[in-house]
Amino acid sequence: MKSSILFAALLFALPALAMTPERYGLRTFRNSIVQSNGSASTGRLLSNSVIDQKVDSLNGGIWLATGNGINFWHIVDSMITSIPSGEKIGRGGVSALVPFHDTLWAATAYDENIDGTVYPAGGGIGWSYDGGETWRWQPQPVDSRDCTSYSPTTTNIQNLTYDLSVSSNAIWAASFGGGLRKGTLHRDTISSAPLVVRDSVHWRARPPDNNPFSALAYLNHRAFSVLAENDSVIWCGTAGGVNRSEDGGETWANFSYSPTDSFSLAGNFVVSLHLQRHANGTKTLWASTWKAEGASEEYGLTYTNDDGRTWHRTLIGEKIHNVTSDSIAVYAVGSNGLFKSIDGGETWGQFPAIRDANGRERFVEQELYSVASAFNRFTIGGPDGWATSRDGGGNWSIGRSYIPTTDPGQPAVYAYPNPYSPERFGAVRFQYFLPHSGEVSLTLYNFAMEKAGTILKKASRAQGDNTEIWNGRFDNATLANGVYFYKLEKPGGVAWGKLIVLD
C-alpha cells in the first residue's frame, strides 16, 4: 500500500471510529466459530456466522450471507449450494446480499491489518445472472482523488458495504466510508468481431441530504441500510437517522431522534430497514434504531405507517439487528434472540432458546443476526449457525458448519473453537464420528495429565457424525488458562486431542 493511501485511510478512519457507536464493524465476521474449507460441490453451510438472509421467490429458496461466502437453500429438496468467498466472489464475509428478478447482487468485507491495527475493509460488489454460477465482480466503489465537488473516499479501508437494494433502474449501496452510492448498469462493447460485451456498474455518491458528500464531516453520510421501494421511493438508514426520497435520490427528508418528541426515532443509528406490506394494501416501515450520540437515545425498533410523518417506538432497550414479516406477524432478531408480534408491534413475545427438535443440537449464543419467512418456512441465523422451522418457530432443525472427521486428513475428534475462551464463547464443541451406535465418554486432563474433570460418561450416541457441547466448567468453576488434553472413548477405540483455554 502506498504511503499516501495509508495516510488517507488513517486520517479518515480514526475520527470516524471515535464518533461511531460501538465501532459497528466486522465483529460478525471475525467471530465465526468455525468455517468449512469445503469446495462449492460439498453443499455445506460455509460458516456458522449467518449474517443476512434474503428470500428468492423466483428460484424457490433463501440466500444466506455468511462469514465465508454465500449459500442457497433450495426449499423443494432442502439442498444447499455454496459459493465460497475468494473464488467467484470477493474475499471475506458477505456483508450484503439481495436477489432482484433474475440477478443476484452481493458485497463482501474483510479485516485489513495496517501496522498492527485491524481495520474493516470493503471487498467489492458483484452480480450474477445465473444463480451464482458466474459473477462480474468490481472493487469497492471509491472516488477519484481529483474530485473537488465533495470530500472523496479514495480507499476501501473503513469503506465497506453493509446493505444493497435494487430497483429497475439503479443499484443502491449503503457503505460506511463510502456513504450512500447509486449505481447504474452499463453495457460496454469490448469487440465487435466476434461480439464481446461486458457489463459494469458506474457508481456515484448520493448523500441523503443537501450537503456535499463527506463521511468524515456528517453522521448522516455514514450509511448502514438502504431500501428501494421502487425507482422513485428510496429509504436510507445512517448514523444520523432515517432518510426518505420520493424522486430517486434527488431530494430527501430526514427523520431523527428528538428528546422532546415521543413520536420520533428511538435512536439515530439505523442498522436495518424492512418494509412490511399488509393484505389491505397498507404498509409499515420498520427501522432497527440504535442508541447513538444523544444521552437519552435508546435501542429498539421504530416504525411508521404513514411514510415517516409519525413514528412509533417499540422493543425499547433491545439491540435489534434485523426484521422480517409475513401476512400475520412481524419478527425481530437481536442481541437477546428472537421476538414476534401479531398486533403491529404493540406487544411482543420472546422465543425460548433455540434447540433442535431431536434435542441433540442447540444454539449456544443467544444473539441472532438474520431472519427470513417464506414458503411456509421460518429461518434464523446468528454467530452459532442457522435454523429452520416448519411451524413458525415451535420446532427447529439446526444446521451448522463443521468439517466431518471422516474427511481425508481429519483427526478422529477435534474441538472448536480452539483456542477456547469461556468469556467470549458460550461453549466448546467436540466433533467425532461413530461407525455404529454405542456408549461414549469424554474426559479432560491438564498439561500434567492429571484428570481435570469428566465432560461425558457412558452416554448413548447414534451412528454417524456427533457433536458434544460443553460450557467449559466443572462444578460451575471456569477452567484456568492453559493447555488441556481430552480423551474420547467410543465404539471403535480411543481418540485424543488438545484444547487451549485462553481468556
Side-chain angles (χ1 to χ4, degrees):
M1 180 178 288
K2 295 182 180 179
S3 58
S4 59
I5 298 176
L6 175 59
F7 175 77
L10 296 178
L11 182 66
F12 171 78
L14 295 178
L17 286 174
M19 299 176 67
T20 304
E22 303 179 51
R23 292 189 58 179
Y24 191 77
L26 292 186
R27 178 177 51 81
T28 54
F29 307 136
R30 289 201 297 268
N31 281 4
S32 298
I33 294 176
V34 66
Q35 296 181 352
S36 169
N37 294 319
S39 66
S41 62
T42 64
R44 298 175 185 167
L45 186 65
L46 288 169
S47 168
N48 283 323
S49 186
V50 181
I51 301 154
D52 198 7
Q53 302 182 57
K54 293 294 174 63
V55 175
D56 188 340
S57 299
L58 183 65
N59 293 298
I62 297 177
W63 292 99
L64 309 179
T66 82
N68 201 33
I70 300 171
N71 284 113
F72 183 68
W73 182 45
H74 303 259
I75 298 296
V76 174
D77 54 13
S78 292
M79 295 295 293
I80 290 181
T81 56
S82 307
I83 307 169
S85 296
E87 296 183 9
K88 299 176 181 179
I89 62 175
R91 61 182 287 201
V94 179
S95 56
L97 182 70
V98 59
F100 183 76
H101 298 326
D102 60 348
T103 308
L104 177 66
W105 295 82
T108 62
Y110 59 95
D111 292 337
E112 187 73 68
N113 191 313
I114 303 175
D115 293 340
T117 301
V118 176
Y119 297 93
I125 298 174
W127 62 99
S128 172
Y129 296 118
D130 53 13
E133 286 295 320
T134 59
W135 288 80
R136 174 79 173 98
W137 200 265
Q138 293 186 181
Q140 188 69 17
V142 296
D143 299 309
S144 168
R145 294 180 178 276
D146 299 326
C147 178
T148 57
S149 58
Y150 57 82
S151 178
T153 299
T154 60
T155 174
N156 69 330
I157 304 298
Q158 285 285 14
N159 175 19
L160 59 152
T161 298
Y162 284 110
D163 201 9
L164 293 167
S165 191
V166 184
S167 66
S168 61
N169 70 356
I171 307 98
W172 294 89
S175 304
F176 182 65
L180 180 64
R181 302 257 159 174
K182 184 177 183 179
T184 53
L185 192 62
H186 291 260
R187 177 151 290 185
D188 303 317
T189 301
I190 307 303
S191 64
S192 56
L195 179 64
V196 177
V197 177
R198 185 176 66 186
D199 290 343
S200 62
V201 176
H202 295 183
W203 298 96
R204 56 175 176 159
R206 300 294 297 177
D209 54 30
N210 294 323
N211 296 310
F213 172 65
S214 174
L216 182 61
Y218 302 110
L219 289 172
N220 199 39
H221 290 187
R222 303 173 195 176
F224 296 99
S225 51
V226 61
L227 191 157
E229 283 193 44
N230 48 51
D231 290 338
S232 300
V233 180
I234 314 297
W235 297 87
C236 178
T238 70
V242 175
N243 303 273
R244 183 176 189 268
S245 175
E246 296 183 348
D247 53 13
E250 294 298 319
T251 59
W252 296 86
N254 175 260
F255 309 98
S256 59
Y257 165 79
S258 171
T260 61
D261 184 3
S262 61
F263 292 97
S264 65
L265 304 187
N268 276 335
F269 201 67
V270 183
V271 301
S272 74
L273 297 167
H274 171 71
L275 187 67
Q276 181 182 20
R277 297 187 183 275
H278 305 286
N280 62 4
T282 61
K283 61 187 178 182
T284 301
L285 182 89
W286 297 88
S288 302
T289 47
W290 288 17
K291 180 181 175 66
E293 294 193 322
S296 56
E297 292 183 43
E298 299 177 289
Y299 292 101
L301 272 181
T302 310
Y303 65 94
T304 177
N305 297 312
D306 55 12
D307 290 331
R309 289 186 291 275
T310 56
W311 295 87
H312 308 273
R313 303 171 184 175
T314 187
L315 274 181
I316 295 302
E318 295 294 340
K319 190 184 295 183
I320 300 300
H321 293 302
N322 234 313
V323 179
T324 194
S325 60
D326 55 31
S327 59
I328 299 175
V330 58
Y331 303 88
V333 292
S335 58
N336 286 317
L338 172 63
F339 299 86
K340 175 182 179 179
S341 175
I342 58 173
D343 56 10
E346 290 295 320
T347 59
W348 294 84
Q350 185 175 8
F351 282 68
I354 306 301
R355 290 182 174 272
D356 197 289
N358 64 21
R360 292 295 316 282
E361 185 60 90
R362 60 187 172 90
F363 276 9
V364 175
E365 306 293 336
Q366 186 177 29
E367 187 169 25
L368 296 173
Y369 300 145
S370 58
V371 58
S373 178
F375 314 110
N376 296 316
R377 301 292 182 92
F378 187 57
T379 67
I380 55 173
D384 207 18
W386 178 65
T388 70
S389 174
R390 294 174 177 266
D391 56 7
N395 294 281
W396 296 96
S397 176
I398 294 177
R400 303 196 77 257
S401 172
Y402 66 92
I403 302 174
T405 56
T406 52
D407 279 9
Q410 294 301 315
V413 59
Y414 66 86
Y416 66 96
N418 194 0
Y420 166 60
S421 165
E423 292 296 324
R424 183 180 179 190
F425 298 106
V428 59
R429 284 177 164 87
F430 298 87
Q431 188 71 37
Y432 61 95
F433 177 84
L434 296 184
H436 54 82
S437 61
E439 290 185 341
V440 174
S441 296
L442 185 60
T443 310
L444 194 71
Y445 299 86
N446 62 21
F447 192 74
M449 291 307 295
E450 300 166 336
K451 184 177 177 180
T454 300
I455 298 172
L456 195 69
K457 185 175 182 179
K458 293 186 177 181
S460 178
R461 294 293 183 258
Q463 183 272 339
D465 291 309
N466 281 269
T467 304
E468 305 301 337
I469 303 173
W470 180 55
N471 64 3
R473 291 172 171 82
F474 291 120
D475 297 327
N476 293 321
T478 302
L479 284 181
N481 287 352
V483 177
Y484 295 84
F485 300 94
Y486 52 88
K487 179 174 70 171
L488 179 71
E489 299 171 85
K490 61 183 181 66
V494 175
W496 289 83
K498 182 169 68 175
L499 175 67
I500 299 173
V501 176
L502 183 62
D503 266 333

